[in-house]
Amino acid sequence: MTAVLDIDLGAIASNWRFLSAQHKGATAGVIKADAYGLGAAQVAPALLAAGCKHFFVAHLSEAVAVQPLIPGAMLAVLNGILAGQEAEFAAQGIVPVVGSLAELALWRAQARLAKRVLPVILHVDTGMARLGFSAPDWAALAGDASLLEGLNLRYVMTHLVSADKPADPMNAAQSMRFAAACAPFEGVRRSFANSSGLFLGAGAESDLARPGAALYGVNPTPGQPNPMRPVVRLSAPILQVRTIEAGETVGYEGAWTAQRPSRIATLGVGYADGYHRVLSNKALAYFDGKAVPLVGRVSMDLTTFDVTDVAAKPGDRLELINAAHGVDALALAAGTNGYEILCSLGRRYHRHYSGVL
Ligand SMILES: *Cc1c(COP(=O)(O)O)cnc(C)c1O
């Protein structure tokens, strides 16, 4: 009798296979931020069973937690190495994604100390201006082989700025800059596309794609039909239904006024559950296939819906996320993207995993 978040691991595995079929190279699984809020401990083994052999997280702590669950797979940390973390990276066999000469020096020193070759992925910045080697540092690296001494260069990678907008000339520009950056490293394997990047055509071909969001059902081709299977469903039981008169208001600040006698259903879900306050008076839920509008403010633990036109009663469930109204639809109402909706999904929901292998 609580809010239930259904997470379909079978759909995630199927989405991974579908993304893998979009290109010739290998396909990783990006499972940072607890697999976009869905639970890395459940998602990573499901991806491994589907055939995924490369994983990316953002932080070393995330890598250490998930590594025992994905034996034999490559596990890399996108945010790179902080001073003091070198020994743990090396001891655990976790691959740092290195984006500066200073970080590279830390990792080289660790290889010297450990007297063994350590794996590295190099991140070159081609337009994101966030992480990755700057052009001058990359030129220095390309001109001095000793800077990679003791290191096994597994991949060179870069990250796309506007992959979800195929018409943006930035995509082609980054593809060209990336090809030029890789040229001095003969035969090096390249990692380029994220989820949307896989749908950009031949320019996004590389040896290792790095999809995240599309695995979890977010549409990688905004404006076109979503080719991914939906992964999450969220429903919550109605705690109370009350009837109010025309002219009465609902919730904090009286932010919604009934225009007719109305039946108001209250759910025990609020912004503390990642059901964002900005959805006040904006989102929809579903009852028996019919949309019912959110009315009034979303509060911390409660949200109210106008169920005047449906037969919903206390104990019945309203669906907040379903196949008809997915994470992208909720994101649109909240003025954000599906990524943020997923990452904010509440810790108080009862999480139910299906499609477990
Ligand atoms: C998060 C991230 C990805 C995955 O991106 P999606 O758009 O979720 O597919 C890939 N590469 C890097 C560097 C990232 O930070």
Side-chain angles (χ1 to χ4, degrees):
M1 275 303 288
T2 176
V4 175
L5 181 66
D6 276 295
I7 299 168
D8 186 345
L9 296 173
I12 295 176
S14 151
N15 285 339
W16 182 82
R17 286 190 290 266
F18 175 77
L19 294 169
S20 299
Q22 300 305 310
H23 73 143
K24 293 194 207 73
T27 303
V30 177
I31 54 167
K32 62 195 181 191
D34 203 22
Y36 292 47
L38 300 186
Q42 288 80 13
V43 169
L47 287 173
L48 188 74
C52 182
K53 295 185 178 67
H54 305 82
F55 293 84
F56 288 89
V57 293
H59 295 275
L60 176 59
S61 58
E62 297 179 302
V64 168
V66 81
Q67 196 193 34
L69 307 175
I70 48 171
M74 181 197 90
L75 177 56
V77 172
L78 290 165
N79 285 7
I81 314 185
L82 289 167
Q85 294 180 331
E86 307 90 318
E88 191 166 14
F89 266 100
Q92 306 281 334
I94 293 163
V95 185
V97 175
V98 164
S100 72
L101 289 171
E103 256 181 290
L104 191 62
L106 287 176
W107 198 223
R108 243 184 0 255
Q110 184 63 31
R112 245 188 339 265
L113 190 74
K115 294 195 174 57
R116 60 189 177 92
V117 175
L118 294 175
V120 68
I121 294 175
L122 296 178
H123 182 176
V124 59
D125 181 15
T126 55
M128 191 66 143
R130 198 175 65 165
L131 283 179
F133 279 85
S134 63
D137 283 3
W138 192 256
L141 181 62
D144 183 353
S146 75
L147 293 176
L148 286 170
E149 220 162 60
L151 302 179
N152 171 17
L153 179 54
R154 300 285 301 272
Y155 292 94
V156 172
M157 64 161 263
T158 196
H159 194 44
L160 286 159
V161 171
S162 277
D164 58 342
K165 296 186 183 66
D168 192 324
M170 193 64 175
N171 293 311
Q174 286 190 274
S175 179
M176 280 168 60
R177 286 177 205 152
F178 187 48
C182 291
F185 300 87
E186 221 188 300
V188 75
R189 285 179 295 180
R190 302 168 309 122
S191 177
F192 188 51
N194 65 337
S195 297
S196 295
L198 276 165
F199 298 87
L200 287 176
E205 275 292 334
S206 70
D207 301 297
L208 183 66
R210 304 184 311 274
L215 294 172
Y216 312 116
V218 172
N219 187 358
T221 57
Q224 293 178 55
N226 189 351
M228 312 315 299
R229 274 177 60 180
V231 168
V232 297
R233 275 188 310 150
L234 176 63
S235 71
I238 297 171
L239 304 177
Q240 286 194 4
V241 176
R242 75 194 55 251
T243 300
I244 61 170
E245 300 304 321
E248 287 191 67
T249 68
V250 172
Y252 285 123
E253 300 162 85
W256 185 79
T257 305
Q259 302 300 310
R260 56 174 178 169
S262 302
R263 292 187 345 114
I264 304 299
T266 303
L267 301 190
V269 167
Y271 57 76
D273 303 296
Y275 199 73
H276 301 302
R277 189 170 177 277
V278 70
L279 291 167
S280 298
N281 279 325
K282 284 191 181 145
L284 296 174
Y286 281 76
F287 177 76
D288 217 8
K290 293 193 201 70
V292 294
L294 192 165
V295 293
R297 290 266 183 267
V298 175
S299 45
M300 187 182 291
D301 317 294
L302 296 166
T303 304
T304 38
F305 291 85
D306 179 359
V307 295
T308 312
D309 297 327
V310 298
K313 58 183 186 308
D316 288 345
R317 303 185 78 83
L318 297 188
E319 293 179 347
L320 300 173
I321 298 174
N322 64 14
H325 187 69
V327 289
D328 291 310
L330 195 58
L332 190 67
T336 182
N337 58 14
Y339 297 63
E340 194 180 17
I341 294 295
L342 288 174
C343 290
S344 348
L345 286 168
R347 302 287 137 179
R348 300 191 294 191
Y349 299 144
H350 174 73
R351 286 165 175 245
H352 176 256
Y353 290 91
S354 61
V356 188
L357 302 138

